[in-house]
Amino acid sequence: MTNPVHDSKDQDVLTVLLVDDDPMWRFLTSTALRDRGWLVEDCESGSALLERLPASTADIILIDALMPGMDGFATCRAIRRTPRGRTLPILMLTSLEDDESIRDAYASGATAFFIKSTHWSLLAERVRDLVRLGEIGRQLDVSNARLAKVHLAARTGTFDFDFDTRTLHGAPGSFAVLGLDNSRTGISQHELLHLMVPEDRGVFWGAIGADLAARNRFRVEFRLSPIAGGVVRYMCAEGEPEYDADGRLRQLHGLIHDNTDDQRRREEMARLSSHDSLTGLPNRKEFLRRLSDAAAVAGAAGQTVQIAMFDLDRFTQFNETLGQAAGDELICETARRIEASAAQRVALIGNGAAHCLARLPGDEFVLMLTGIADPTEAETVVRAALQSMRRVCVVAGTECFLSASVGMASFPGDAESADILLARADRAVHEVKLRGRNDLIWFQPRFEQGGRGRIEMITGLHRALEREEFELHFQPWVDASVSRVTGLEALIRWRRDGKLVPPGEFIPLAEDTGLIIPIGEWVLRKAAGALAQWRRDGIDLECVAINIPTVHFERGSLLAEIKEAIERHDLRPRSLELELTETCMVRDFESTLPRLEALIEAGATLSIDDFGTGYSSLAYLTRLPISKLKVDRAFVNQLGVSTQGAAVCRAIVALGQSLGVKVLAEGVETPEQVQALRSLGCQTMQGFLFSRPVPVDQVPQAIRTAEQIARRLAEARSAPQRVTVEGDGVLHGS
Ligand code: C2E
Ligand code: MG
Ligand code: MG
């Protein structure tokens, strides 16, 4: 760094630019100064001086105040307007002593004034002082400019606050940190407060006062209001007080720092630690915090909070087959759908209802609903979200059909703390999975007893396979147009400790644990064996149907097993019917299709079980090599009850006809349903009306009874009479 005072100038040889209209005075002054070895450039008028100034090397200007034409004051003002003259010291020489001239001299930009006299040494000392001061001033300017740059770069400003004037003073650039012009060197307390966001104005001085009282230093944070579309900026002022001899607070000295970047980083860190990076949703920790808060508020107001936990069904399979990136996309899409649906429904409810969706690790989401008094209304919101998830979703060029198992729980009924409530919703999810997934269940206390029961159940299933505790029952179906049983569905049971356990209670668990594959193989072998035996006994059936769960289809060696069964029992082609679900068939359609065709090649036929509950598109259906649709019991139930039920049945029958496949109605329980189905054109029926599922040895009798019932119903149609069926299919006519 150079030191202008010493480096730029030899202090002993000064250059003076002198202007005076009086030649004598000019001569005397120049001579006196030259005698000291100085250089003097002199001119006789203001305008001459202004002309000379740009090329001049003067250290100081001496101006006579009174001159004809442009007087000393006007010249001084003009000098100050030039780049060269802006910072040069100007000494106004005057013979006047009145105060007004002195004031005018300063007002015109003079650095000092000097009464004309012949005390040349006095003048010379004055000139020397002014030059020195000017150099110091210039040096100060340089360092101020440097400081302003530092302030700007460090987003900091230093200040002294004066309690008398209530003003902050600072070097130029000090208040740039507040968004003010670089040239500002002072700002009133009032202006400072007005730069702040309104909430921070009232607490600013209080915070400083409290700090000073406690530790003789202060540190206060405040926010600046955004200017012209900008953002809120986070500031911090800190420093120390200065007291006078009487202990009165006189000044504060400190600095103001712009903490916005730090604050944003802190916020981002907080966001990352409380939010899921993939979906941007709150994470488990944050959700629990919000749930606790919501529960506290609801508890105080005597209100409830409901939560719904969504667990995507078979998400691992999507991830494995489509890849992690596609899995991530599915997660994001699911988040968007649940969020959009919940937001829409909750807005419709209004009345302070609110929601919050969070992502838990893996493929789980949890939705919190507040301000909804009626649990069924909350359930409607969740069901709508579940429904929105089920719409086809195209990821990595593949159409995916997502579903979820949803468990709901309510505060304070099901739990009084956030984490237990979450655990209980999770327990309900588990229950949905046990029952076959893709549904919603509210938590019930008895689910809690299940943990141990589940382990026992798994052990039991392993043992059941070894000890052959499974039984295969058969339920006939009837072709009502000819009153004949044309086939049977094989339905598994588990004889556990003398009691028959229905498949709904153990199949989902067997699927979860993979035990379904050996169980499925067992069912296939037994069913094929039974079919062969009936044929030998003279009971002629078109086919026997076997339920094939997705896990078995996707992971097992089904094709080989089918081939083996047909060969071993010398079965007729098309006598083994495999019941699959829509979702199983259309998932990953292009790779599934050849495998379905291979099964047909091997001699099996395919039907879609529980048709109407899945979500396949017509485009797929036309390409599937199926020969039968089994209308789900849920729709048959509705025949004669709701017009919608009848409409769905009618649509499915019409669809079957146009696809050229048979349509079978499941769960037929009443003669009225038979009538209705026949009038829709559906002739194949299965249900308790004809026969319940029966053990293999009772099949011949069950077939006879079912056909007898079918005949009686046909007769009743031609000759109207009331037909009722009671108990286990015993027919009563009147
Ligand atoms: P599904 O394949 O839809 O079987 C029809 C179910 O409806 C059977 O229940 C049957 O007993 C019942 N059902 C038949 N007619 C009527 C009726 O008129 N009214 C009523 N209320 N129900 C009727 P089940 O045997 O309890 O089987 C339930 C489900 O378990 C089956 O539904 C099937 O998905 C599965 N399942 C049964 N056996 C097997 C099996 O061997 N392997 C596999 N993987 N799943 C099986
Ligand atoms: Mg079935
Ligand atoms: Mg079914």
Side-chain angles (χ1 to χ4, degrees):
M1 214 162 51
T2 57
N3 183 338
V5 176
H6 299 290
D7 296 355
S8 67
K9 208 82 198 169
D10 177 352
Q11 279 294 293
D12 292 337
V13 185
L14 295 182
T15 306
V16 178
L17 182 53
L18 168 71
V19 57
D20 200 314
D21 62 311
D22 179 346
M24 175 53 78
W25 193 256
R26 231 170 35 232
F27 172 74
L28 289 174
T29 313
S30 317
T31 309
L33 297 178
R34 281 184 185 126
D35 282 350
R36 286 171 163 70
W38 295 2
L39 303 173
V40 180
E41 304 167 9
D42 63 323
C43 22
E44 71 289 345
S45 69
S47 46
L49 176 133
L50 288 169
E51 245 171 64
R52 186 184 277 221
L53 185 61
S56 164
T57 55
D59 300 302
I60 185 165
I61 302 174
L62 270 53
I63 309 181
D64 180 23
L66 288 184
M67 294 186 289
M70 192 186 239
D71 66 8
F73 307 109
T75 308
C76 194
R77 280 195 294 275
I79 293 171
R80 286 302 186 218
R81 284 197 291 273
T82 67
R84 174 85 178 92
R86 207 163 45 81
T87 53
L88 268 183
I90 301 177
L91 182 64
M92 188 79 79
L93 298 171
T94 167
S95 48
L96 304 170
E97 292 172 38
D98 60 305
D99 290 350
E100 200 176 333
S101 293
I102 294 170
R103 246 196 333 271
D104 284 354
Y106 285 120
S108 330
T111 318
F113 71 95
F114 192 78
I115 308 291
K116 281 183 175 177
S117 80
T118 51
H119 290 94
W120 302 115
S121 52
L122 267 184
L123 174 66
E125 283 314 307
R126 195 74 210 271
V127 165
R128 202 190 291 280
D129 282 351
L130 284 180
V131 169
R132 194 178 297 128
L133 268 176
E135 284 300 336
I136 291 172
R138 266 195 296 283
Q139 191 186 8
L140 200 62
D141 280 352
V142 170
S143 85
N144 271 345
R146 212 173 277 141
L147 186 64
K149 272 192 198 153
V150 172
H151 277 153
L152 216 58
R155 302 223 177 99
T156 302
T158 47
F159 69 89
D160 302 310
F161 178 76
D162 186 80
F163 277 93
D164 287 337
T165 58
R166 294 259 153 196
T167 304
L168 288 95
H169 301 280
S174 280
F175 302 116
V177 70
L178 298 174
L180 300 178
D181 194 272
N182 249 346
S183 63
R184 295 285 299 269
T185 53
I187 152 175
S188 72
Q189 161 184 316
H190 180 75
E191 191 179 357
L192 174 66
L193 291 178
H194 264 84
L195 292 172
M196 297 181 191
V197 300
E199 308 88 85
D200 291 356
R201 290 176 196 158
V203 292
F204 181 73
W205 283 112
I208 292 182
D211 257 11
L212 291 182
R215 54 192 188 114
N216 208 30
R217 264 191 73 77
F218 68 93
R219 183 175 195 284
V220 59
E221 295 190 344
F222 58 95
R223 291 163 297 166
L224 295 183
S225 301
I227 350 171
V231 292
V232 167
R233 303 203 68 84
Y234 292 81
M235 316 301 288
C236 162
E238 57 184 321
E240 285 174 353
E242 183 193 309
Y243 297 91
D244 65 13
D246 301 329
R248 274 187 311 145
L249 192 56
R250 298 238 53 94
Q251 292 216 321
L252 295 177
H253 307 288
L255 52 85
I256 301 175
H257 182 64
D258 184 339
N259 272 343
T260 308
D261 290 350
D262 285 353
Q263 177 70 19
R264 296 261 180 275
R265 262 193 296 278
R266 275 201 298 272
E267 281 171 2
E268 182 59 12
M269 295 286 285
R271 209 187 62 75
L272 284 179
S273 75
S274 62
H275 284 71
D276 164 47
S277 57
L278 181 63
T279 58
L281 292 175
N283 61 17
R284 182 191 171 89
K285 188 180 90 185
E286 174 66 9
F287 181 79
L288 278 174
R289 192 185 66 71
R290 295 191 192 183
L291 181 57
S292 292
D293 290 353
V297 173
Q303 293 171 343
T304 55
V305 177
Q306 294 90 13
I307 64 167
M309 190 184 283
F310 292 73
D311 186 308
L312 301 193
D313 294 332
R314 301 190 182 88
F315 181 72
T316 329
Q317 282 172 38
F318 282 112
N319 237 358
E320 280 167 9
T321 39
L322 301 176
Q324 170 104 30
D328 284 356
E329 223 177 291
L330 273 182
I331 290 282
C332 290
E333 178 60 17
T334 307
R336 276 193 290 272
R337 289 187 184 187
I338 302 179
E339 173 61 35
S341 168
Q344 192 196 12
R345 291 283 169 152
V346 165
L348 282 178
I349 295 172
N351 254 340
H355 77 289
C356 165
L357 179 66
R359 183 184 172 203
L360 305 182
D363 58 354
E364 287 181 334
F365 293 91
V366 59
L367 180 68
M368 169 170 73
L369 296 169
T370 49
I372 305 178
D374 179 1
T376 41
E377 198 161 24
E379 185 179 319
T380 312
V381 175
V382 177
R383 283 202 184 275
L386 185 56
Q387 195 58 38
S388 78
M389 280 178 54
R390 289 168 172 159
R391 288 196 321 267
V392 63
C393 170
V394 183
V395 162
T398 309
E399 290 195 345
C400 301
F401 295 85
L402 278 181
S403 62
S405 303
V406 184
M408 288 190 74
S410 158
F411 167 89
D414 293 328
E416 295 202 344
S417 77
D419 46 351
I420 295 183
L421 192 65
L422 201 62
R424 299 224 151 128
D426 194 26
R427 194 60 203 75
V429 166
H430 187 70
E431 195 63 28
V432 180
K433 287 187 177 174
L434 285 183
R435 296 180 192 190
R437 303 193 176 94
N438 191 14
D439 203 357
L440 178 157
I441 293 183
W442 284 89
F443 170 78
Q444 287 169 34
R446 65 183 165 80
F447 296 168
E448 298 267 82
Q449 296 129 29
R452 199 193 173 91
R454 180 181 157 93
I455 294 169
E456 283 170 8
M457 184 88 120
I458 295 172
T459 322
L461 278 175
H462 277 283
R463 211 173 300 138
L465 266 172
E466 285 165 22
R467 298 186 187 168
E468 295 246 352
E469 288 175 0
F470 293 119
E471 289 181 11
L472 211 48
H473 286 203
F474 294 89
Q475 185 181 34
W477 65 74
V478 173
D479 181 344
S481 63
V482 289
S483 302
R484 270 205 53 220
V485 168
T486 50
L488 299 153
E489 177 175 3
L491 294 159
I492 196 171
R493 270 91 185 97
W494 176 12
R495 188 165 295 281
R496 192 187 191 199
D497 305 326
K499 273 186 261 159
L500 273 193
V501 184
E505 287 181 25
F506 64 89
I507 292 285
L509 190 59
E511 287 186 24
D512 277 354
T513 54
L515 277 170
I516 194 68
I517 295 177
I519 294 176
E521 287 168 11
W522 179 87
V523 170
L524 180 60
R525 277 200 308 278
K526 281 281 168 192
L531 187 61
Q533 184 59 48
W534 292 321
R535 198 184 53 203
R536 286 194 289 276
D537 294 348
I539 299 172
D540 191 29
L541 294 164
E542 276 176 18
C543 67
V544 62
I546 299 156
N547 291 285
I548 306 292
T550 308
V551 190
H552 192 183
F553 175 72
E554 285 181 350
R555 301 218 199 126
S557 43
L558 190 58
L559 183 61
E561 291 158 26
I562 297 285
K563 284 183 178 161
E564 212 261 348
I566 292 177
E567 208 171 310
R568 174 195 291 248
H569 299 288
D570 190 23
L571 298 181
R572 275 204 308 259
R574 306 178 61 78
S575 59
L576 280 181
E577 182 176 298
L578 309 181
E579 295 190 4
L580 292 129
T581 60
E582 291 167 79
T583 325
C584 167
M585 289 197 199
V586 302
R587 165 173 303 165
D588 198 6
F589 185 74
E590 298 304 333
S591 80
T592 304
L593 193 58
R595 296 171 58 207
L596 294 173
E597 280 160 352
L599 288 172
I600 294 194
E601 186 82 2
T605 64
L606 301 178
S607 65
I608 301 188
D609 203 358
D610 307 336
F611 189 77
T613 58
Y615 311 95
S616 49
S617 68
L618 273 180
Y620 284 142
L621 275 181
T622 53
R623 294 177 61 196
L624 282 174
I626 46 162
S627 40
K628 191 186 280 174
L629 298 179
K630 296 190 80 173
V631 186
D632 193 69
R633 192 167 76 232
F635 304 115
V636 177
N637 266 342
Q638 292 300 307
L639 280 174
V641 177
S642 84
T643 48
Q644 273 166 326
V648 174
C649 286
R650 186 178 305 116
I652 296 177
V653 173
L655 179 67
Q657 282 164 352
S658 65
L659 291 175
V661 302
K662 285 187 194 138
V663 176
L664 179 151
E666 295 188 292
V668 177
E669 292 181 346
T670 68
E672 288 75 20
Q673 288 167 349
V674 175
Q675 301 283 1
L677 285 163
R678 291 186 71 151
S679 69
L680 295 178
C682 173
Q683 298 289 357
T684 317
M685 303 172 202
Q686 178 182 345
F688 292 172
L689 177 66
F690 299 103
S691 169
R692 286 181 179 261
V694 294
V696 66
D697 55 324
Q698 293 172 27
V699 164
Q701 179 56 45
I703 291 176
R704 279 195 294 277
T705 311
E707 289 182 343
Q708 194 190 354
I709 292 168
R711 270 197 302 278
R712 294 289 294 271
L713 285 166
E715 286 161 17
R717 213 157 88 105
S718 42
Q721 59 173 309
R722 274 191 66 212
V723 179
T724 52
V725 182
E726 281 171 10
D728 271 5
V730 183
L731 189 75
H732 300 268
S734 60

